[in-house]
Amino acid sequence: MPLTRDDVVRAAVEVIDERGLAGLTLRGLATRLGISAPALYWHVTDKRHLLDLVAEHVLAQLPARRAPAPGEPVVDWLADGLRVRRAAMLAHRDSALVVAGNRPTEDAMPAIDATVAALTGAGLTPGESVRVLTALGSFLLGDVLETQAALDRPVPDTPADPRAHPHLEAAAADMGGDDERFEDGLSLMLEGLRARLAARAATGVAPV
Amino acid sequence: MPLTRDDVVRAAVEVIDERGLAGLTLRGLATRLGISAPALYWHVTDKRHLLDLVAEHVLAQLPARRAPAPGEPVVDWLADGLRVRRAAMLAHRDSALVVAGNRPTEDAMPAIDATVAALTGAGLTPGESVRVLTALGSFLLGDVLETQAALDRPVPDTPADPRAHPHLEAAAADMGGDDERFEDGLSLMLEGLRARLAARAATGVAPV
DNA sequence: AGCGGGTCCCTAACGCTGTTAGAGGCATGG
DNA sequence: CCATGCCTCTAACAGCGTTAGGGACCCGCT
């Protein structure tokens, strides 16, 4: 049975999961698939193209965006979507590096459009909605990027840090892990968003 | 006069500014400096090491972190620092890619420590302060990353988008540019932070 | 005066990468 | 029986980061 493009993409994801993005070479990938390296060029135009497909594949694995449950605050619904996206990315090594720089695929647009609709429905202007959504996306990307970068480059076993930075030292105890860090930043943004929505509601501006 | 490590780093920054990170090769850099490629290995242990130095160099170009002016709200002071950092990064092409994955240099630590001190002074716990600071850093990194990625990969002249995504279409008019996007996200996080600080002050918890 | 050691650079070469050129085998359908 | 796609092959190229090993130069010591 001949190889499909999807086989190639899936194998690439496996290689990245095992060896990291830097460990993905066309020759290695081809050998794993039992074909020769140039044969990959039949399925894919480019390594860059392959990475685009990998990014798409990783993001496509998350469940179809559910509509907000009746009575569910928009902000909570938004937060849930972000957590799902984050989980999908953290499930694959170096995914942030792969995803970074890929503008949203055409078939990711309906979900984005729906989210923008929800935000404008809650009282933001359309431009504001897009900006807020992009900001949340930037935060998510940056967070996952740093988390995964820390995995790739393990700590240099903290050589000398006696009491040069007392406040950082004090923080070490209750700093928490990656999830706490994300949740705390997220709650910051959502709190700000809630405040803004409340302000809009108070001034009685109807949703545009 | 012999070449110094700083000459090498500065030249590398120039190359990245002109040709992008992908356009930086050791051979090309060496030729620009008038030496042979292996000679670079006397000044630098590795290409990875060179990039670390470049990242350091870019971030070191920002003015020494000023202390908050008397009476200046901590949050405003924080925002100002972030804007300065963002400007420094946007001044150099692909800087986000270079900086990503570099844990803070040892001599950037005092400034971080001071900022944590300011935040705990304002009422956060030490761990909270670090998390908040990291979250702001993640947002900054993600924002710059996406901004610069958009520059590297110019738009595909929006081929087909008639009215498939009406809300996005509606947002196109007042979406604003990169700066507005950043400022909007930033104000979200800062508003959340302000709210949290206010809550702490209200419950009368003394700064730890 | 001569020697040693550090500094800064060289040429040559290795193994690896993404990628192209061009050919071939193997089905299917007219 | 031939043609047309599909899918893969071998051979090769230019370019990459990096290593091995050597050679000038200069400065301080004996």
Side-chain angles (χ1 to χ4, degrees):
Chain A
M1 201 161 88
L3 232 49
T4 72
R5 171 182 284 188
D6 231 70
D7 293 329
V8 174
V9 173
R10 259 196 301 268
V13 172
E14 286 174 21
V15 172
I16 295 177
D17 281 346
E18 293 169 12
R19 302 222 210 300
L21 178 59
L24 176 73
T25 73
L26 296 188
R27 274 176 241 259
L29 179 61
T31 317
R32 164 186 284 248
L33 288 167
I35 63 177
S36 72
L40 287 172
Y41 282 77
W42 195 90
H43 301 278
V44 145
T45 75
D46 227 311
K47 189 179 188 182
R48 180 68 245 169
H49 180 211
L50 172 61
L51 289 179
D52 288 349
L53 294 173
V54 167
E56 205 173 318
H57 181 85
V58 167
L59 291 184
Q61 275 177 344
L62 41 89
R65 189 88 186 85
R66 61 181 180 82
E72 180 182 24
V74 192
V75 176
D76 294 355
W77 173 73
L78 200 61
D80 195 58
L82 277 177
R83 290 197 191 92
V84 169
R85 263 181 90 90
R86 186 175 110 102
M89 293 191 66
L90 284 183
H92 293 288
R93 182 167 167 191
D94 287 345
S95 58
L97 282 174
V98 177
V99 166
N102 280 64
R103 57 184 68 256
T105 319
E106 181 57 30
D107 51 50
M109 297 301 281
I112 297 178
D113 196 63
T115 310
V116 170
L119 284 175
T120 63
L124 298 184
T125 73
E128 233 178 348
S129 304
V130 170
R131 287 197 300 274
V132 165
L133 205 55
T134 317
L136 286 167
S138 292
F139 168 60
L140 173 65
L141 181 66
D143 177 86
V144 175
L145 197 63
E146 295 199 332
T147 300
Q148 293 183 332
L151 291 181
D152 278 356
R153 278 224 212 179
V155 298
D157 53 287
T158 52
D161 229 7
R163 65 198 62 185
H165 316 303
H167 302 92
L168 284 174
E169 200 68 20
D174 66 334
M175 196 164 47
D178 294 334
D179 291 353
E180 285 82 358
R181 241 187 25 230
F182 173 74
E183 283 299 330
D184 212 348
L186 180 60
S187 84
L188 227 56
M189 301 191 83
L190 296 181
E191 204 52 53
L193 178 56
R194 263 189 279 262
R196 190 181 293 193
L197 290 176
R200 292 303 151 81
T203 55
V205 178
V208 187
Chain B
M1 199 160 90
L3 232 49
T4 71
R5 169 183 285 189
D6 231 69
D7 292 330
V8 173
V9 172
R10 259 196 301 268
V13 172
E14 286 174 23
V15 172
I16 295 177
D17 282 346
E18 292 168 14
R19 302 223 209 300
L21 178 59
L24 175 72
T25 73
L26 295 188
R27 275 176 241 258
L29 179 60
T31 317
R32 165 186 282 248
L33 288 167
I35 63 177
S36 73
L40 287 173
Y41 282 77
W42 195 90
H43 300 279
V44 145
T45 75
D46 226 58
K47 189 181 189 181
R48 180 67 245 171
H49 179 213
L50 172 62
L51 289 179
D52 288 349
L53 294 173
V54 168
E56 203 173 322
H57 181 86
V58 167
L59 291 184
Q61 274 176 344
L62 42 88
R65 189 88 186 87
R66 62 180 180 82
E72 182 183 22
V74 192
V75 175
D76 294 355
W77 173 73
L78 201 60
D80 195 59
L82 276 176
R83 288 197 192 92
V84 170
R85 262 180 90 90
R86 186 173 111 103
M89 293 191 65
L90 285 182
H92 294 286
R93 184 168 167 190
D94 286 346
S95 57
L97 282 175
V98 178
V99 167
N102 280 62
R103 58 185 66 254
T105 320
E106 181 58 30
D107 52 50
M109 298 301 281
I112 299 178
D113 196 64
T115 311
V116 171
L119 284 176
T120 63
L124 298 185
T125 73
E128 233 179 348
S129 304
V130 171
R131 287 196 300 273
V132 166
L133 205 55
T134 316
L136 286 167
S138 292
F139 168 60
L140 173 64
L141 180 66
D143 176 86
V144 175
L145 197 63
E146 294 198 332
T147 300
Q148 293 183 332
L151 292 180
D152 279 356
R153 278 225 212 178
V155 298
D157 51 289
T158 52
D161 229 6
R163 65 197 63 186
H165 316 301
H167 302 93
L168 284 174
E169 201 68 19
D174 66 335
M175 197 164 47
D178 294 334
D179 292 352
E180 286 82 359
R181 242 187 24 233
F182 173 74
E183 283 298 331
D184 213 347
L186 180 60
S187 83
L188 228 55
M189 301 192 82
L190 295 181
E191 204 51 54
L193 179 56
R194 264 188 279 263
R196 189 180 293 195
L197 290 176
R200 291 304 150 81
T203 56
V205 178
V208 185

